[in-house]
Amino acid sequence: MSRKPTTTDPELTHRLSRRGMLGVAAGASAAALVGAAASTASATPDSAAAGKGRGRPVLPPGRLGIQLYSLRDKVGSVGFAPVFAELEKYGYDEIEFAGYTQGSAGAITLAQLKRLARDHGLNPIGSHVGYYDNNNPNAYTFAQNLTKVLDDAEALGLKHIGTASGPFRYGTTVDAWKRAAEDFNTYGEAARKRGMKFYQHNHAEEFSFATDKPKVRLYDVLLAETDPDFVYLEMDIYWAFSAQFRFGKRADGTPAPFHPLDYVLKQPHRYPLFHVKDGIRDETTRDGYRMTDVGDGDIDYKKFLSKVTARTHHGKRYHHWQTEHDNPVESYAFARKSSEHLHSLRGRCGD
């Protein structure tokens, strides 16, 4: 079950979010919302969600995680144990690794790391590993050390193992991405034999166009050429929205609109993982957004989560939501506020 945060950030009372908490429950004041979060800290999520007029929670129970890259400064300075203790307090259920040391204070084995996560009620759900390294044949990547990568993931009990590297290994042509897709199929097949799912995490550039066929979006090549039984996707929602801004037109200026949500709704089973990061819309920037804490930006997560979870089939829940900020001002504050915001989102009971 997804745990309610046990603390309320005083700053949240004053700042709330640019779009979020004031609009979470119709007619509720900011003070009422923050007070409700504090008063239900000891209640179960189900009982809290059942409160009169509050609607159903949009965030599926037991599926809130965080990408530990967002907390790399804390892991590096104090180690995993204090970080995991904080995440437990903030109501997180899962963690996604970005390496198994991240400069952690003091040595730690995979067995110790797995046990430490378990002791704090955190399920290690996945990990990011490099795709390839042309300069180091012994690099810890899928291309150079597939068996070791899978051995370590298996030791941690991961159900997903993936990469945040783009499929640009062979270039930006259609054939180059077909070759990369073959690599991913190989890794995915090997992962499946271990009971894991291989996945790729996008940035904005995956949604750009092939240099030899400028009407073809590279992300579409990746989807078409990878085996859906072997290769899965972790949509970074922020970067997908950035790509919508950057690559909504082809090089010749002709419109090529898309919506990130449409990709997911078309093949929801291919997206077991998501990165939940937020951005303030700013068309003066290259990316069209300025990254911010979840709930302080303009990405409508109430709509996004509601639409995706509504596609759950036969009662099965297979989506995991990992909060992330590439460079938070204060990483603990980011983790705490992001959890509070996502737990606060409520939809209509009939949705």
Side-chain angles (χ1 to χ4, degrees):
M1 296 293 289
S2 185
R3 304 178 301 281
K4 289 290 293 183
T6 58
T7 60
T8 300
D9 182 7
E11 181 186 359
L12 196 65
T13 308
H14 303 287
R15 294 182 66 227
L16 298 172
S17 74
R18 303 181 73 249
R19 181 208 62 257
M21 290 192 72
L22 288 176
V24 167
S29 67
L33 285 169
V34 175
S39 65
T40 59
S42 60
T44 65
D46 288 341
S47 63
K52 184 177 179 180
R54 295 193 63 184
R56 63 167 182 80
V58 171
L59 180 70
R63 294 304 177 101
L64 180 63
I66 189 167
Q67 167 52 252
L68 292 174
Y69 181 76
S70 305
L71 295 159
R72 61 194 181 280
D73 61 324
K74 296 296 193 294
V75 173
S77 60
V78 300
F80 282 104
V83 170
F84 287 178
E86 289 296 307
L87 295 177
E88 182 180 17
K89 287 194 300 182
Y90 301 159
Y92 283 94
D93 309 295
E94 301 175 336
I95 48 175
E96 182 185 31
F97 292 102
Y100 307 128
T101 60
Q102 291 183 244
S104 172
I108 187 168
T109 67
L110 294 179
Q112 290 171 330
L113 192 55
K114 180 181 180 181
R115 183 168 58 251
L116 186 62
R118 181 194 62 205
D119 289 346
H120 289 285
L122 298 169
N123 178 30
I125 192 64
S127 181
H128 286 186
V129 177
Y131 168 21
Y132 67 96
D133 186 339
N134 283 334
N135 298 316
N136 181 5
N138 298 313
Y140 189 79
T141 65
F142 282 96
Q144 278 94 352
N145 255 307
L146 177 61
T147 299
K148 174 62 175 172
V149 167
L150 296 181
D151 284 346
D152 289 349
E154 195 170 23
L156 279 167
L158 301 182
K159 296 300 183 184
H160 307 81
I161 181 69
T163 184
S165 301
F168 295 95
R169 182 181 188 181
Y170 307 108
T172 55
T173 65
V174 170
D175 283 344
W177 275 53
K178 286 182 178 180
R179 288 184 64 191
E182 290 177 5
D183 288 347
F184 285 7
N185 285 332
T186 298
Y187 310 150
E189 185 174 12
R192 180 169 176 167
K193 291 177 180 177
R194 307 277 196 112
M196 292 178 280
K197 292 179 179 179
F198 169 81
Y199 64 95
Q200 194 267 341
H201 162 284
N202 66 275
H203 293 85
E205 287 73 18
E206 280 87 337
F207 294 89
S208 62
F209 298 94
T211 50
D212 60 331
K213 295 182 180 179
K215 291 186 178 181
V216 176
R217 196 180 298 279
L218 289 171
Y219 195 72
D220 294 337
V221 177
L222 179 67
L223 285 170
E225 297 296 329
T226 50
D227 189 325
D229 290 331
F230 297 151
V231 178
Y232 297 84
L233 292 309
E234 176 180 61
M235 178 174 281
D236 186 302
I237 300 168
Y238 171 89
W239 287 121
F241 272 87
S242 171
Q244 184 186 40
F245 171 77
R246 291 178 58 188
F247 304 113
K249 292 182 179 179
R250 300 183 183 87
D252 62 3
T254 57
F258 74 93
H259 197 290
L261 189 55
D262 291 340
Y263 277 102
V264 180
L265 297 183
K266 186 176 181 180
Q267 301 185 72
H269 60 286
R270 294 202 72 180
Y271 292 88
L273 306 174
F274 293 89
H275 272 191
V276 180
K277 62 174 67 164
D278 214 340
I280 298 170
R281 181 75 171 182
D282 185 351
E283 296 187 7
T284 67
T285 65
R286 183 198 68 165
D287 294 325
Y289 291 88
R290 289 181 285 110
M291 199 175 295
T292 189
D293 293 349
V294 178
D296 286 348
D298 294 312
I299 297 177
D300 188 348
Y301 276 110
K302 178 180 176 181
K303 175 181 178 181
F304 201 101
L305 269 75
S306 295
K307 293 287 188 181
V308 173
T309 55
R311 286 296 181 97
T312 298
H313 298 296
H314 307 298
K316 295 180 180 179
R317 292 181 290 110
Y318 42 72
H319 300 297
H320 303 261
W321 306 89
Q322 318 294 310
T323 66
E324 188 186 34
H325 192 312
D326 292 356
N327 293 290
V329 174
E330 210 295 313
S331 55
Y332 278 158
F334 156 75
R336 180 176 64 250
K337 290 189 296 179
S338 298
S339 174
E340 288 187 350
H341 175 72
L342 292 173
H343 276 103
S344 77
L345 296 179
R346 294 290 185 271
R348 294 175 299 178
C349 291
D351 286 352

